[in-house]
Amino acid sequence: MLQLQAIRENKDLFIDALKKRNIDAAPMVNEVIQLDEKRRTTQTQLDNILAESNKLSKDIGALYQNGKYQEAEALKQKTGSLKEDSKKLGDELKTATETLQALLYQIPNVPHDTVPAGTSEEDNEEVYEEGAIPVLQTDALPHWELAKKYDIIDLELGVKIAGAGFPVYKGKGAKLQRALINYFLDKNTAEGYTEVQVPHLVNEASGYGTGQLPDKEGQMYHLTEDNLYLIPTGEVPVTNMFRDQILDVGDFPLQYTAYTPCFRREAGSYGAHVRGLNRLHQFDKVEIVRVEHPDRSYAALDEMVEQVKIILRELELPYRILRLCGGDLGFTAALTYDFEVFSTAQDRWLEISSVSNFETYQANRLKLRFKDENGKSQLAHTLNGSALALPRVLAGILENYQTGDGIRIPEVLVPYCGFDMIS
RNA sequence: GGAGAAAUGGCAGAGUGGUCGAAUGCGGCAGUCUUGAAAACUGUUGAGGGUCACACCUCCGGGGGUUCGAAUCCCUCUUUCUCCGCCA
């Protein structure tokens, strides 16, 4: 959520910056300002009435204590109309505040200066590429064929148990997945991220805190009986650890890593590109989350990008980094780098990580603040990234490491797997 | 799941329906003292709205109610603790 006061002071700046997202924010921003003015005048009126009635109540109390019951009763008569007015104004204030809040929820974050203009993923800017794309023999298979051939992932079995998009990993496939999780967590903790295990279901407040609610409501599995949501990413529980907190400036940097399954309804996405592990309803992910001082958040973002690069380099997977354009940038992010691994047999790039700085957008919703050097409280910056998402990394390994004899295991994973070949 | 108790500032812990945003202690911060530190003493120390700044308003787990007036009374939800039941 954008900061109201900042909008009030620089509305044109916001309207301009949001153009990069290809939206005309002017009507919304103007309405925000209007609603805010309404809210404030109502608040002032209400405050005055409350002040008056507080004073009357005190006077009545004093009169009672001095035994002047007649005078007290007389004063009581005067409180009736004040009560009515305050009730009416209170309702108005509530409505104005809620309307304003709902509107603010609808305005996306302001893109960072470096975010390229553009309307779709076509316009994302490639900023880095590393790793040679292997040349495979002509009979190379896509990962879903390999999964079947070596009996390591069973998609049909998952259909029986749950439905499409819920794979069953078997034997060396399961072990490889577990190896990747451990490897990722080890890399992250070695870099100073504290490992946490967090709930996989979150309440409504957490959903609002990180911005999945209200705009992505339909993408999350919702347990209506208990009003809980299955997490679409570890970002939600981990970042919400800090909701409603006022940190000390010395607490930075806060860095956490968590392994969690992720659940996504993926309503409306079907077709050839969702085959195999490409798009699932349940998948595993190791997430890194940071809470940072505003002055340091972009340095932190760079460090997170570096962290993901190192992992991919060690896995010897060919990858590229994209800076997302305004049209492709997530609702809550100010700047996002996507990592894509080249999936050789599918001949396409697969997104395996997304690293973002949300600046104060989430913090404002989370009420995540810190006391700065002058003792004033201000909003912190939040960041997160995948390090990494499992299924597509797995797909990349299966496809890129396939040989005529089987699938080779990347060297760094051999100690974690206990085998060096799937055949 | 059943029965009971509780929820107050960073923490601990008072609080009779009126002058309680809330005693006291600890912690934090500033100062005095000291070569320095500790101790002692003095002062200060929640959040939000509002204002140029004050004033003023809101918040004692959340929501609602009674009352001129609620931390205090009532209803409800949530959470925690104790006992019972079930259970990885």
Side-chain angles (χ1 to χ4, degrees):
Chain A
M1 184 164 61
L2 297 174
Q3 288 173 264
L4 189 54
Q5 201 177 339
I7 295 180
R8 210 150 73 195
E9 284 162 8
N10 296 301
K11 74 166 194 172
D12 293 331
L13 226 72
F14 282 87
I15 294 169
D16 262 4
L18 284 166
K19 280 182 186 152
K20 225 186 241 174
R21 285 188 183 266
N22 312 302
I23 58 170
D24 177 14
M28 278 194 287
V29 167
N30 286 326
E31 202 186 336
V32 162
I33 288 173
Q34 219 172 11
L35 279 166
D36 178 49
E37 268 165 25
K38 161 80 179 155
R39 194 203 96 234
R40 278 184 298 156
T41 53
T42 310
Q43 174 92 63
T44 307
Q45 289 170 2
L46 178 62
D47 284 357
N48 290 337
I49 287 173
L50 288 176
E52 204 175 324
S53 99
N54 284 346
K55 192 172 176 307
L56 272 178
S57 291
K58 276 187 190 176
D59 291 347
I60 291 170
L63 288 172
Y64 268 121
Q65 280 178 348
N66 293 324
K68 299 177 179 169
Y69 301 112
Q70 301 266 318
E71 290 176 49
E73 289 302 324
L75 274 189
K76 271 197 198 180
Q77 304 303 316
K78 295 168 74 175
T79 61
S81 69
L82 285 176
K83 233 184 159 183
E84 270 174 44
D85 288 352
S86 74
K87 178 144 176 47
K88 182 169 143 279
L89 283 167
D91 289 345
E92 268 180 51
L93 181 65
K94 197 176 168 197
T95 309
T97 309
E98 283 170 356
T99 317
L100 179 59
Q101 185 77 359
L103 188 62
L104 279 171
Y105 276 141
Q106 286 171 41
I107 305 178
N109 201 358
V110 169
H112 188 253
D113 274 346
T114 59
V115 169
T119 55
S120 74
E121 57 184 56
E122 309 290 310
D123 302 312
N124 293 336
E125 176 191 347
E126 185 173 330
V127 294
Y128 188 78
E129 186 168 343
E130 182 179 330
I133 292 171
V135 181
L136 302 180
Q137 64 263 46
T138 47
D139 59 349
L141 298 171
H143 68 266
W144 54 88
E145 301 284 353
L146 293 164
K148 199 173 271 182
K149 181 173 173 186
Y150 297 109
D151 195 26
I152 49 173
I153 303 167
D154 195 329
L155 295 157
E156 286 76 25
L157 196 52
V159 172
K160 176 165 98 177
I161 301 167
F166 294 92
V168 174
Y169 301 88
K170 295 160 77 175
K172 285 185 172 175
K175 189 82 184 280
L176 176 55
Q177 174 124 265
R178 182 152 58 89
L180 279 165
I181 293 165
N182 285 334
Y183 165 65
F184 292 155
L185 285 171
D186 285 352
K187 290 300 286 184
N188 293 339
T189 50
E191 222 26 67
Y193 293 88
T194 303
E195 182 176 347
V196 285
Q197 293 190 359
V198 290
H200 300 164
L201 274 71
V202 293
N203 58 27
E204 212 175 14
S206 294
Y208 275 96
T210 33
Q212 280 70 28
L213 292 175
D215 45 288
K216 282 192 205 148
E217 167 110 52
Q219 287 300 330
M220 287 193 289
Y221 289 98
H222 185 197
L223 284 71
T224 51
E225 185 88 2
D226 300 289
N227 198 25
L228 293 169
Y229 294 84
L230 270 77
I231 56 169
T233 158
E235 158 196 356
V236 181
V238 177
T239 311
N240 271 283
M241 295 197 302
F242 303 99
R243 174 153 46 88
D244 288 321
Q245 276 207 33
I246 301 178
L247 303 163
D248 192 84
V249 70
D251 293 337
F252 296 123
L254 290 170
Q255 338 188 74
Y256 289 85
T257 185
Y259 154 70
T260 70
C262 303
F263 302 90
R264 298 185 181 179
R265 295 189 63 230
E266 301 292 357
S269 51
Y270 301 99
H273 281 182
V274 307
R275 288 200 69 174
L277 300 178
N278 288 351
R279 192 177 295 277
L280 299 168
H281 287 306
Q282 178 180 333
F283 64 95
D284 293 306
K285 185 152 65 70
V286 173
E287 188 81 356
I288 47 178
V289 170
R290 293 177 68 146
V291 179
E292 283 288 349
H293 190 287
D295 294 347
R296 258 204 50 84
S297 70
Y298 279 95
L301 183 68
D302 291 343
E303 288 167 17
M304 292 165 82
V305 166
E306 199 53 39
Q307 174 74 1
V308 177
K309 276 163 92 169
I310 288 167
I311 292 174
L312 288 169
R313 192 175 296 147
E314 283 193 1
L315 287 174
E316 297 181 73
L317 287 169
Y319 70 95
R320 65 177 183 179
I321 304 177
L322 305 172
R323 186 186 279 135
L324 294 194
C325 75
D328 208 21
L329 190 64
F331 194 84
T332 51
L335 178 61
T336 296
Y337 291 105
D338 268 9
F339 281 71
E340 297 184 334
V341 157
F342 194 74
S343 170
T344 316
Q346 294 183 71
D347 193 29
R348 55 187 282 244
W349 294 94
L350 294 178
E351 183 194 331
I352 43 94
S353 176
S354 195
V355 184
S356 305
N357 188 351
F358 303 91
E359 298 189 3
T360 60
Y361 194 89
Q362 289 182 328
N364 195 22
R365 291 188 177 194
L366 292 160
K367 294 193 172 61
L368 168 47
R369 292 158 292 175
F370 69 98
K371 286 249 189 268
D372 67 17
E373 293 78 355
N374 304 316
K376 286 193 68 175
S377 73
Q378 54 170 302
L379 294 171
H381 281 195
T382 60
L383 306 93
N384 68 57
S386 353
L388 292 162
L390 271 290
R392 294 181 188 157
V393 170
L394 200 58
I397 290 173
L398 296 182
E399 295 186 14
N400 289 327
Y401 279 84
Q402 63 181 303
T403 70
D405 307 323
I407 294 152
R408 210 158 55 74
I409 300 296
E411 214 158 297
V412 284
L413 294 178
V414 173
Y416 287 91
C417 282
F419 52 85
D420 60 6
M421 199 75 182
I422 295 174
S423 53

